Amino acid sequence: MTWGVVFDLDGTLIDSLPDIAAAANALLADHQLEPLPQPQIGSFVGMGERVFLDRLIAATALDAADYDALMGEFITHYKASTGLTTVFPGAVEVITVLKGEGYKLGICTNKPGGPLAAVLEALDLAKWFDVIIAGDTLPVRKPDPAPLHLAFEKMGATEGVYVGDSDVDAETAQRAGVPFAFFTEGIRTKPIEDIPHDRAFERFEDLPAICKEILRPI
């Protein structure tokens, strides 16, 4: 039996919202527009960069007719914005515990490959993971279950848990038929009780026990 634990990235393993907001506001500054508050930008996150830019355009005077150019500018800022991002307390320690207990580990995120590679390098995180699925690895993105299925398939995991922080992650797990461990301290725009989950946790130290409860019940 091979068990796997797949993590979302933004708002789950890393607190990246300050850098996402910085990239968005840098784009706005390029076009002589006022910045948006970080909580508002946080409400745009979760469905990938195209939905993010759609929401940013809708909230500002950015011109949708310049969409492709705006996307190029945003991705350039996004790839360069890593200095404010931190790993959530306890996450790396728990990753080492899970690896020591024999779990295969993966990332399944809607973050596009360029910014994903940049932040993983900045934080030295890639070395811990057997599989990394970016937002543009497949033609579809979460909440479509295909990226999560691919992560488990590439790991060779027969059973597993998906760990995330949002309603998008919860829907992805449901559609994939995978138990969902809900990190409650990330980027979420709905109350905890409105996000379906098998287990919820606010401290990473609790995650190994949760994985055992779900995958190795006594």
Side-chain angles (χ1 to χ4, degrees):
M1 181 75 72
T2 301
W3 290 284
V5 181
V6 178
F7 295 87
D8 172 53
L9 185 64
D10 295 297
T12 299
L13 288 174
I14 62 174
D15 182 8
S16 54
L17 184 54
D19 270 321
I20 295 172
N25 283 327
L27 175 62
L28 294 177
D30 288 345
H31 293 266
Q32 294 76 52
L33 297 174
E34 290 298 313
L36 295 181
Q38 183 172 297
Q40 183 178 4
I41 292 173
S43 72
F44 304 160
V45 172
M47 297 288 287
E49 74 277 11
R50 296 194 70 83
V51 173
F52 182 91
L53 184 57
D54 288 341
R55 292 170 174 172
L56 186 62
I57 290 170
T60 65
L62 290 172
D63 189 348
D66 298 328
Y67 191 91
D68 290 343
L70 290 171
M71 179 60 77
E73 294 170 38
F74 173 64
I75 292 296
T76 297
H77 287 303
Y78 199 6
K79 288 166 67 174
S81 298
T82 60
L84 302 176
T85 297
T86 57
V87 182
F88 278 110
V92 170
E93 292 81 357
V94 164
I95 285 168
T96 63
V97 169
L98 293 171
K99 285 197 78 76
E101 292 180 351
Y103 292 95
K104 295 287 188 181
L105 300 182
I107 289 174
C108 181
T109 174
N110 276 344
K111 199 180 195 80
L116 172 61
V119 76
L120 291 179
E121 180 178 359
L123 297 173
D124 195 26
L125 283 179
K127 64 187 179 184
W128 300 108
F129 296 96
D130 301 287
V131 173
I132 297 172
I133 305 297
D136 47 8
T137 299
L138 294 176
V140 296
R141 301 184 178 213
K142 300 182 302 180
D144 191 294
L148 186 55
H149 282 311
L150 180 63
F152 283 110
E153 178 185 329
K154 283 184 170 289
M155 290 193 302
T158 50
E159 293 186 41
V161 174
Y162 187 44
V163 183
D165 69 298
S166 71
D167 54 311
V168 174
D169 297 325
E171 182 181 347
T172 303
Q174 280 191 321
R175 292 174 65 180
V178 174
F180 181 56
F182 176 31
F183 178 56
T184 60
E185 304 307 296
I187 308 170
R188 59 179 171 83
T189 57
K190 293 184 178 180
I192 293 171
E193 59 270 18
D194 291 346
I195 298 178
H197 54 274
D198 294 273
R199 301 287 193 282
F201 68 100
E202 62 181 34
R203 303 182 316 141
F204 264 91
E205 303 94 287
D206 297 331
L207 185 58
I210 287 171
C211 292
K212 283 183 181 178
E213 289 172 10
I214 293 174
L215 296 174
R216 311 182 189 186
I218 297 173

